[in-house]
Amino acid sequence: MADHPDVEASAKSVAASIEASSLRDQLATIKLALGTSPIRKHLLWACVGIVAVIVATSIGQVLLNRWNEPFYDALARRDMQGFLHQLLVFAAIAGGLLVLNVGQTWLDQMIRLKLREALTLDLIGEWMRPARAFRLANAGAIGVNPDQRLQQDAGHLSDLSTGLGIGLLQSFILLVSFVGVLWSLSSGFVFHIGGYSLAIPGYMVWAAILYAGTASWLSWLVGRPLIRFNSDRYTREAELRSSVVRVNENVDAIALAHGEADARRRLELDLGTVLGAMRRIYSAQINLSWVTDTYGWITVVAPILVASPVYFAGDISFGGLMMAVGAFNQVHASLRWFINNIGGIADWRATLMRVADFRIALVETDVLHDTEERIMIGENPNGRLTFENLEVASRDGCTKLAEPHVEIRAGERVMITGDPRAGKTLFFRAIAGLWPWGSGRIGMPAGEVPAFVPRKPYFPLGTLREVLNHADAALSDADISAVLAEVGLGRLSSSLDRSARWERELSDDEQRLLAFARLVLRQPKWVIIDEALDTFDGATLRRVLSMLEARLADAAILNIGRGQQNIEFFPRSLAIVKDIERPALKPVRVRAGAIEPPPAVAAAYQET
């Protein structure tokens, strides 16, 4: 069987779109998300505030470093009065730094909170644009487990970005503040070798740069694999959580089929992949610890070793030595920010990749409508629904109506039938705009928003009143109770204000009846049904059709189903056929980055 060229090329298209995403692309995507956020001003002011606090803290650190020389010189002279005075100076400096540190902690937490709010709201907004979540679910691996990217990854990225960003800014400001101090202190460093004197300008600055640069380079070499290992771990964690949720959602079916052993085996297999990913991370972290911990211990004595020749030569006092050591430690601490945070940087890079690529994929799904060879959906000013040469493409044929030109007027009742595997659900999704692959035109009645009734209804979490009540309508309890009674669900009238997972409390037929009750309460002018009436027995079907006749008398109703179920209610009949001799449309050129459904997904949309 030949494949649809567009569908066949999709997996490669998705992979190319995501793998081509560079660090610059990912950062630009996050910048765009934050730049359009309604809370960007709050985030900006918090960032300005923390910069001011860090600058003030750096000034305090410089003052504290200068305090070292008179304090230790007073100790060396055994000057009690000078010693007590310096303690008072220390108390004033430390008190100011304490206030600044608390303020920095509060601003740090506010930035984390606002950053997560901005990122998550943006992702939710992009994900919940019309039909995007559906298309993304068909886009391959990037569409798997979006819950983790929205909830866990966005929050983790916010925490890492805030922590690393503030740390980097603080290190940079401290570096700028203390490089000058350390350079001036190094001016008095003269080395006496074999009767010669040698002065190296900025000696301790260069020593700190060389020392920290060597450590940073080794840390990057050893810690770089953590980026790949962290990304793989998050993927495995998502798969394990998805498996647990799937088992929990189907515990009754598993128990009836005695499938606990298979479910446990699947969960154990997914757990094994998570543990394997964690072992690789831990091994890399241990290797990294050899480098960072070695440099950490050397740092205890490194500044004293660097300055000791000058001290023993008598060119600086003990207080001057301690001041130089303090400045060296500040400069070195700023320069070794990368060493201390290599694990966090690798984690941040992996998380940024997951969040940014997810948002890129969300936006890229819209390019489906940028190409010519797609089903065109427009509006008819005459208020009618039309199908002009409509062909819905799939891997095993083209689904279409037996009549190439079809026009349906307002208020008409039409039954659309087809053989099993003719692609009735695919046809339904094409009308709804969810499946754009194919050719021809669908003309929707201008100014009308059709109500689509799928085989399996969706009920949001909340009270029954919220499930049934239209957002713009104010329905009375009497109206709701009357409709529930008409569909045979009168017992639910006493549960209007009870929150529940209604898809679990009601049987499949009861869920469909509730969906039809919601439908008539919303009073649409156009209704398109996908096999939702097929499972009802004769009495239930007559009850539902009678309610539709009475309450939606002026509405046009199209029922896509398996056969003629009520010729009196649906006097007009259309047929869906599949042309298996034409399994593919003419190939189209897909622009870089387009998201299309992979072959496995396309095949899954054929009816069983």
Side-chain angles (χ1 to χ4, degrees):
M1 182 181 297
D3 292 337
H4 187 316
D6 289 347
V7 174
E8 190 65 36
S10 62
K12 295 180 181 179
S13 177
V14 175
S17 173
I18 302 306
E19 290 179 4
S21 172
S22 64
L23 176 60
R24 173 184 285 184
D25 296 331
Q26 292 160 7
L27 291 175
T29 298
I30 299 301
K31 179 182 177 182
L32 177 62
L34 297 179
T36 57
S37 172
I39 61 171
R40 61 186 181 278
K41 290 184 178 179
H42 298 87
L43 187 59
L44 178 61
W45 279 114
C47 291
V48 170
I50 204 162
V51 169
V53 169
I54 290 175
V55 170
T57 301
S58 298
I59 294 173
Q61 293 284 0
V62 171
L63 294 175
L64 187 62
N65 180 259
R66 291 178 179 175
W67 169 85
N68 280 319
E69 183 173 18
F71 177 74
Y72 284 106
D73 283 343
L75 281 176
R77 296 192 308 267
R78 293 181 173 83
D79 181 359
M80 177 62 71
Q81 185 175 357
F83 171 75
L84 294 175
H85 174 72
Q86 292 304 319
L87 286 179
L88 293 175
V89 173
F90 172 79
I93 297 174
L97 289 174
L98 175 61
V99 173
L100 290 172
N101 288 339
V102 173
Q104 181 174 330
T105 300
W106 182 81
L107 287 169
D108 177 293
Q109 293 171 344
M110 289 301 101
I111 292 175
R112 291 172 192 264
L113 184 65
K114 292 299 181 182
L115 185 57
R116 178 170 186 179
E117 182 181 359
L119 280 178
T120 307
L121 285 177
D122 175 78
L123 291 176
I124 291 174
E126 295 294 335
W127 189 46
M128 285 292 99
R129 290 198 180 189
R132 267 195 181 175
F134 173 84
R135 294 171 193 155
L136 187 70
N138 303 330
I142 191 65
V144 177
N145 299 318
D147 55 301
Q148 185 186 41
R149 299 178 192 257
L150 286 165
Q151 183 265 327
Q152 180 175 327
D153 291 344
H156 195 44
L157 179 62
S158 301
D159 287 341
L160 288 173
S161 298
T162 304
L164 292 174
I166 291 175
L168 179 60
L169 176 63
Q170 195 163 19
S171 296
F172 175 76
I173 293 177
L174 282 174
L175 177 63
V176 172
S177 303
F178 278 93
V179 159
V181 174
L182 192 60
W183 188 281
S184 62
L185 289 173
S186 300
S187 61
F189 283 25
V190 180
F191 296 91
H192 304 283
I193 305 174
Y196 294 95
S197 297
L198 176 64
I200 303 176
Y203 160 68
M204 293 198 72
V205 174
W206 300 119
I209 292 174
L210 179 63
Y211 180 70
T214 304
S216 298
W217 177 69
L218 288 176
S219 298
W220 174 246
L221 288 181
V222 177
R224 188 175 182 180
L226 281 169
I227 297 175
R228 184 176 69 256
F229 294 159
N230 277 303
S231 180
D232 181 60
R233 176 193 173 180
Y234 295 141
T235 300
R236 304 305 177 190
E237 293 277 12
E239 291 172 353
L240 175 60
R241 186 175 63 250
S242 178
S243 295
V244 173
V245 171
R246 190 182 305 114
V247 169
N248 186 55
E249 294 283 349
N250 296 277
V251 288
D252 51 348
I254 292 173
L256 291 171
H258 303 290
E260 289 85 357
D262 289 336
R264 183 181 63 192
R265 192 157 42 247
R266 175 73 256 177
L267 293 174
E268 289 174 349
L269 180 63
D270 288 340
L271 176 62
T273 62
V274 171
L275 296 178
M278 293 178 68
R279 288 190 189 97
R280 289 189 289 273
I281 291 175
Y282 293 159
S283 296
Q285 288 176 338
I286 290 172
N287 293 335
L288 182 61
S289 294
W290 282 106
V291 176
T292 57
D293 290 354
T294 297
Y295 271 89
W297 282 110
I298 294 175
T299 303
V300 174
V301 296
I304 296 178
L305 291 176
V306 170
S308 59
V310 180
Y311 174 73
F312 287 116
D315 292 329
I316 58 172
S317 65
F318 180 69
L321 173 66
M322 297 309 296
M323 185 176 174
V325 168
F328 182 94
N329 284 333
Q330 290 287 1
V331 172
H332 175 258
S334 301
L335 291 172
R336 65 171 282 131
W337 174 88
F338 183 82
I339 307 169
N340 295 335
N341 293 280
I342 181 63
I345 293 171
D347 195 4
W348 172 82
R349 184 71 181 86
T351 309
L352 173 68
M353 188 186 308
R354 289 177 58 81
V355 174
D357 286 349
F358 179 70
R359 193 183 190 278
I360 290 171
L362 284 172
V363 177
E364 285 294 330
T365 57
D366 289 344
V367 303
L368 289 169
H369 302 290
D370 292 343
T371 56
E372 295 179 358
E373 295 290 333
R374 294 292 186 268
I375 298 171
M376 294 179 59
I377 298 181
E379 288 191 345
N380 294 328
N382 60 5
R384 297 180 179 182
L385 175 64
T386 59
F387 303 104
E388 301 290 338
N389 298 312
L390 177 62
E391 293 183 340
V392 185
S394 63
R395 291 195 67 202
D396 56 356
C398 286
T399 296
K400 60 185 181 180
L401 290 170
E403 302 175 33
H405 304 283
V406 173
E407 182 176 276
I408 300 173
R409 297 183 300 274
E412 267 197 281
R413 309 290 170 77
V414 182
M415 184 73 191
I416 303 177
T417 62
D419 295 332
R421 299 188 63 81
K424 295 187 290 294
T425 294
L426 206 62
F427 184 80
F428 171 80
R429 286 176 170 150
I431 300 174
L434 298 180
W435 189 268
W437 295 277
S439 66
R441 181 181 184 275
I442 300 174
M444 306 298 289
E448 298 291 343
V449 180
F452 293 92
V453 184
R455 286 181 290 181
K456 184 173 179 59
Y458 164 73
F459 302 118
L461 294 175
T463 65
L464 187 60
R465 186 189 307 279
E466 293 170 338
V467 169
L468 293 173
N469 214 351
H470 192 277
D472 298 327
L475 301 175
S476 66
D477 289 2
D479 292 334
I480 297 175
S481 298
V483 172
L484 289 175
E486 287 184 44
V487 296
L489 297 176
R491 62 182 176 83
L492 296 179
S493 298
S494 60
S495 302
L496 294 181
D497 294 312
R498 182 166 65 89
S499 295
R501 294 192 60 176
W502 300 104
E503 75 279 5
R504 287 192 171 188
E505 293 210 0
L506 303 176
S507 67
D508 290 345
D509 274 354
E510 287 176 329
Q511 291 180 47
R512 294 187 182 95
L513 289 171
L514 188 62
F516 279 105
R518 176 174 58 185
L519 176 71
V520 300
L521 287 170
R522 295 184 176 183
Q523 291 291 298
K525 295 298 183 182
W526 289 82
V527 179
I528 302 172
I529 304 170
D530 178 33
E531 297 190 333
L533 295 172
D534 289 349
T535 60
F536 293 146
D537 58 34
T540 304
L541 178 61
R542 287 191 294 272
R543 186 165 62 245
V544 172
L545 294 180
S546 176
M547 179 185 67
L548 294 177
E549 178 69 41
R551 292 184 175 271
L552 297 179
D554 298 328
I557 301 178
L558 283 69
N559 180 36
I560 303 173
R562 299 173 185 172
Q564 298 283 1
Q565 293 192 321
N566 192 305
I567 297 178
E568 293 181 359
F569 190 85
F570 296 107
R572 184 179 177 186
S573 178
L574 298 173
I576 291 176
V577 296
K578 175 167 285 188
D579 186 354
I580 61 174
E581 299 300 325
R582 296 187 58 225
L585 300 175
K586 183 176 70 173
V588 299
R589 184 180 300 276
V590 180
R591 78 176 179 86
I595 303 281
E596 298 186 58
V601 173
Y605 273 95
Q606 306 312 304
E607 295 174 291
T608 58

